[in-house]
Amino acid sequence: MPRECVYDNLRSAVARRERDEVVWNQRLLHLRGHYAFHAHACTPATPREKGSVEAAVRYLKTGFWPARRFDSLGELDGQYADWRDEVCNMRRHASGRFPVEQRLEEERRALRPLPPERFDWSAARIVRVPSDGYLRHGGCFYRAPVSLVQQRVELRANRDEVWIRAHGITRAHYRRCYQPGTWLPAPVLRPEPPAMAPPAKLAPVVAPPELAAYAELCA
């Protein structure tokens, strides 16, 4: 871990600024506390404070992303690892004229060791399970057990997984989907009722009069 990290004023790091005071995002404060590092926010509209970072971002955009195709984030991770080890770290730095891989090893010796436990960076929010049982996250819908309908549950998600917890127990677990409008699992629709046959047309039945009534009419 580095001893200090410099951040641009992205919303996930800086919640807001009150004149010269920086109000940090609460989630970032948890991250700082876990890894014990100091954070510094750049001055707005002052790109010279992070020029080297902007150059690295430009190199990534022009060297890795053009014409890149992938079907999943796992495949993208593999492509990036190959490009990083075979291209990025093997190059000679443009201004320093030193091998990037060699400088990386020197910097690693100056870093502090990581804590024994990883930071739980999954997102979480408390939601109420609707009557259909599906909870929405990232444009997709994930179904909770029927027994949790109309109850408050904890919906958690990271880059690869989505899971639903109730009373401290994981009740449903899904692989995260990135295709908006997907329902997991697909809802089971009720079958259409069979078409009813049209009622048969019956001829009206006319009861004949009694003979006594007929004789009375003829008298």
Side-chain angles (χ1 to χ4, degrees), residues 56-70:
V57 172
R58 183 170 59 253
Y59 174 73
L60 182 68
K61 287 182 177 180
T62 58
F64 174 72
W65 282 111
R68 186 72 57 175
R69 294 180 178 273
F70 55 92

Side-chain angles (χ1 to χ4, degrees), residues 110-141:
L111 298 175
R112 295 182 294 112
L114 292 171
E117 297 292 334
R118 294 184 60 183
F119 179 72
D120 183 10
W121 51 272
S122 59
R125 70 179 192 272
I126 303 298
V127 294
R128 184 184 296 275
V129 180
S131 57
D132 61 2
Y134 282 89
L135 303 176
R136 182 172 181 173
H137 181 77
C140 300
F141 300 86

